Each structure stands twice: as structure tokens, then as C-alpha cells.
């Protein structure tokens, strides 16, 4: 017997631009992600303003889910998935974001994906926007810097709610909306491309514009939630936060206060707005200290209040440390940065591995909001090797996942209402930060490489059968030596 509830949703997660490919098929328009070249652990992705003939854009083919979704969903079903999180590419539905009418071919594609999930009784968890707004909106408006994007997003979201009514119940309005509190969120999340930006990891930044863009996303999210509820009262909406717990490096009160402040801005702020429907008090001081003046229309206040989310979803890969001593060694990680924790090991990409931090984080989140929680992303990006016999012995991934699942169970015992777990990159996909294929997360290996070679064939890794057992035993059979 495990501590997981009987109706717990086990599953996996992907995003359209990281798996689909078919970037110019079915009437699809160009998205932000389609303008990012491949990078690596040591070389930043480039953001191009026009498609460049000699550049490599990993999203253009990705792992060809666009043509292979049936095969892939069948494999997810074989593992016993109860939930599959995927995103809809805005540009398949509205190629530039500006059209009056939706692109039927794009809608049909997701009809098929959703029906395929339903065929296996897999609950779809749909992200409406996962790092890929139409590039045309970047060109016309500098993305979310403009309020015009609110209506365009709501138009798009309403089309999805109408079309998939009764078939999709769980929605996420924006993936990792809090990436906009850091400069790296400019392009990928907000479609803000300031003069001088060339590198994905080093963007020219105007914090005032960035927070204004984020405000527009908050309003858009709230309006979409209200519209989605009006269309189908059975819809459930979630925020999605990139959560990187920040520990004080020491018990020096200076470190404690700094860690609290950074947790507020980076981890809590967006959830506070989307769950509670208003800006938290601590942001007043932050905006003042950083000379940021937001334009908030009078009606926005009521919009935020009526469009609160029903559940809280988040990604958790790593934790980090905060110190007032800036000579400490820096840690690597996604979006939210900090210092190395001497008690933790790190992944091949330097992301610190902290399963107990997940229990801590789940308690923090549930204690703060008291609404159902979904762990929408978690996993280990690692180099995998195909052995001579064709097998992939990814014990390191099994260990990582098992340790995190064990801590989820502890958190449930602590009283956290965790309802779902969708492991990130359940099939190998393009890394968001580096654009690499070499950084693999999947239970399913895809024969695709960073030099563009590979026949795209799928292969089960050792973790495939392991996860199947985990799901079949409802989390009881984790089979590790921890
Ligand atoms: C999250 C994103 O930040 O982390 C995903 O929502 C991303 O899109 C994932 O892929 C892992 O990051 P990376 O850079 O290893 O792909």
C-alpha cells in the first residue's frame, strides 16, 4: 500500500515546440521558439529575427510528435499513464495570432491527439501557452509588452474551450509564468525582443516593460479562466510556476531575509496573484526600489479577483541557495539562479538534485494556498548511452525519480493535496534552455541527435518498465536502494 490516493493521476509532460516538429505544416505559423537556434551546455541559443538559411532550429522537426503522436501515446498508455500534459501551439490555431478565424487544420490535429488520449482513458492536461507565442506578435507589438495581446490570447483560449469542451477538463493558462520575473523570460515567455538582444541567455532587459508584460499575462489568464468557466463549469484551471526553492546559505539573518525576499519575488509572487487574485503587498516595495511603475487599468483589479485558478501546478527540478556573500560558487539551474549547496549532488548540467526539497516545497505551497496541487514537471536531464545490445540503462534517472516520488508521498502524508504527477519529457525532446537533444529526460529514447542525424525511431529505456511498475503499484513499488 502506498500513501498515494487511489485516483492519483500518474503521467508525463511535454510541450508542443519541444516535441511536435512540423513547424510549417497544417497551416502553422512561426512561433518564438521557431526562431531559437540550437545551443549547448556551454553555448547560448541565438534568437534570430528572420529564419537564417544556415542556422539549425531544433523545434522545426523536434521529435516529430506531429506525425508520430499515435505511436507515442500508445507507449504512454503502455506505461499506464492516467494523465498526459501537452501544450497547444498557439500558431497552429492562429498562425499570426491576428486572424479572425481559427485554423481548422490545427484544431483537427489536437482533436486527434485528445481523442487518442481519451481512447486510453488518459486525462489530458493542456497548457494553452508554453513558451511559443506567434512571432508575428513579437514583430507587431513587442509581444506581451502590449495590452493588445490580452484580447488575442483570450480569443485563442476561447476557441480551445469551445472546441474541446467535455474532452479537456484540466487547463494551464501559461507555462512557468514566473519566468518573466527574470530577464531570460523576456523572449521565451513574453515575446519581448528588445533592441540588442541576440542571445537567449543574455537578453537586453527593461524590467519595467517585462513586469508590464507579466501584468498583461495575469489579466489574460484571469479572463481566460472566467471565460473557460462560463463555457464549461467542469473546467479546472491552474497556474504553473517554475519553483526553485531558495534556502538561506547560512543562519546569518542577512541570508535569511535575502532568501525570503528572493522566494517572494521569484517563487511566490505569480502564484499569489493567480491564486489570490491580487498583487501581494511585498511587490509594492520591490516595484518602488526598482523604479517600476505599472499601468494597471481600474478594471484589471476585478478581473484578477474573479479569474483565480482552481489548482496550483509547478515544475520542480532543483533547489538553490541564497547568500549575501557574493564570492560563493554559483549553481546552475533553470531560470532562477543561486549558489551551490554543499550538501547536494548535481546533474550532468549542474542542476542540484534535492528530493527532500520537493517535500519542503510541496508543504510550502499547500500551506500557503490550500488548493489542490499538481507537480506538472520533474525529471532528470542526462546523457543516455545506447548499449551494444540496444538497451538504455538509465538507472540514474530511475534513482532521481524514485527519490522524488518518495518525497511526494511524504508530503501527501504531511497533508498536502497533491493530485497529479506528470514527469517532464516522458519522451526525449528538445531542451528548452539549450535546444539540445543530448539532454534527455524520457522513458522513451528517440533516435535524434544534435547534428540533425537520427531516424527518429523510439526505444524503451530501462526507466520505461520501472515507471510502468510504479504506476501499476500506485507508487508503492519504487525498487531502489535508497
Ligand atoms: C521547464 C520548462 O523550465 O523546464 C520546460 O517548462 C523545460 O519547457 C524544462 O524543457 C527543462 O528544462 P531544459 O532546459 O532542461 O529543457
Amino acid at each position: 500500500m502506498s500513501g498515494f490516493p487511489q485516483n492519483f493521476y500518474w503521467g508525463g509532460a511535454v510541450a508542443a515546440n519541444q516535441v511536435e516538429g512540423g513547424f510549417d505544416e497544417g497551416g502553422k505559423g512561426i512561433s518564438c521558439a521557431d526562431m531559437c537556434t540550437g545551443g549547448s551546455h556551454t553555448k547560448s541559443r541565438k534568437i534570430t529575427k528572420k529564419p537564417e538559411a544556415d542556422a539549425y532550429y531544433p523545434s522545426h522537426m523536434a521529435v516529430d510528435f506531429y506525425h508520430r503522436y499515435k505511436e507515442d501515446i500508445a507507449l504512454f498508455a503502455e506505461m499506464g499513464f492516467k494523465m498526459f500534459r501537452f501544450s497547444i501551439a498557439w500558431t497552429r490555431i492562429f498562425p499570426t495570432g491576428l486572424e479572425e478565424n481559427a485554423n481548422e487544420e490545427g484544431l483537427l490535429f489536437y482533436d486527434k491527439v485528445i481523442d487518442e488520449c481519451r481512447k486510453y482513458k488518459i486525462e489530458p492536461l493542456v497548457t494553452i501557452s508554453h513558451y511559443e507565442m506567434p512571432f508575428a506578435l513579437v514583430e507587431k507589438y513587442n509581444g506581451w509588452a502590449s495590452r493588445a495581446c490580452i484580447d488575442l490570447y483570450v480569443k485563442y483560449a476561447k476557441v480551445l474551450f469551445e472546441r474541446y469542451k467535455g474532452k479537456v477538463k484540466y487547463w494551464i493558462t501559461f507555462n512557468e509564468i514566473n519566468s518573466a520575473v527574470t530577464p531570460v523570460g523576456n523572449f521565451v515567455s513574453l515575446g519581448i525582443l528588445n533592441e540588442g538582444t541576440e542571445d537567449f541567455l543574455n537578453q537586453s532587459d527593461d524590467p519595467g516593460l517585462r513586469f508590464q508584460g507579466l501584468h498583461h499575462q495575469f489579466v489574460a489568464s484571469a479572463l481566460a479562466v472566467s471565460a473557460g468557466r462560463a463555457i464549461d463549469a467542469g473546467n479546472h484551471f491552474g497556474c504553473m510556476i517554475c519553483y526553485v526553492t531558495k534556502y538561506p546559505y547560512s543562519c546569518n539573518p542577512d541570508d535569511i531575509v535575502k532568501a525570503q525576499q528572493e522566494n517572494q519575488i521569484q517563487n511566490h509572487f505569480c502564484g499569489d496573484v493567480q491564486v489570490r487574485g491580487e498583487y501581494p503587498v511585498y511587490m509594492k516595495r520591490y516595484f518602488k526600489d526598482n523604479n517600476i511603475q505599472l499601468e494597471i487599468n481600474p478594471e484589471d483589479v476585478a478581473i484578477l479577483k474573479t479569474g483565480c485558478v482552481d489548482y496550483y501546478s509547478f515544475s520542480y527540478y532543483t533547489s538553490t541557495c541564497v547568500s549575501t556573500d557574493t564570492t560563493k560558487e554559483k549553481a546552475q539551474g533553470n531560470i532562477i539562479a543561486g549558489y551551490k549547496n554543499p550538501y547536494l549532488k548535481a546533474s550532468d548540467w549542474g542542476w542540484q538534485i534535492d528530493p527532500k526539497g520537493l517535500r519542503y516545497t510541496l508543504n510550502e505551497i499547500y500551506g500557503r494556498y490550500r488548493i489542490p496541487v499538481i507537480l506538472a514537471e520533474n525529471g532528470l536531464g542526462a546523457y543516455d548511452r545506447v548499449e551494444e545490445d540496444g538497451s538504455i540503462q538509465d538507472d540514474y534517472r530511475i534513482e532521481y525519480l524514485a527519490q522524488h516520488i518518495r518525497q511526494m508521498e511524504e508530503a501527501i502524508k504531511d497533508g498536502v493535496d497533491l493530485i497529479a504527477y506528470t514527469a517532464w519529457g516522458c519522451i526525449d525532446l528538445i531542451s528548452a534552455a539549450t535546444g539540445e537533444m543530448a539532454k534527455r529526460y524520457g522513458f522513451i529514447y528517440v533516435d535524434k541527435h544534435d547534428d540533425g542525424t537520427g531516424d527518429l525511431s523510439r526505444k524503451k529505456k530501462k526507466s520505461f518498465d520501472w515507471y510502468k511498475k510504479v504506476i501499476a503499484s500506485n507508487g508503492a513499488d519504487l525498487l531502489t536502494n535508497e
Side-chain angles (χ1 to χ4, degrees), residues 73 112-124 166-170:
I73 294 171
K112 290 188 278 181
V113 170
I114 293 164
D115 289 348
E116 205 61 20
C117 289
R118 290 250 157 249
K119 180 169 121 188
Y120 296 109
K121 300 202 168 36
I122 297 174
E123 190 69 46
K167 288 183 174 184
V168 175
K169 289 192 298 194
Y170 289 93

Side-chain angles (χ1 to χ4, degrees), residues 18 130-131 175-176 240 317 334-335 351 377 424 430-434 439 441:
Q18 292 170 266
H130 191 131
Y131 290 161
N175 180 62
E176 294 190 337
M240 200 307 199
Y317 294 92
N334 54 345
I335 303 167
W351 295 19
E377 283 185 34
W424 177 249
I430 303 294
S431 155
T434 66
K439 190 179 189 187
Y441 285 89

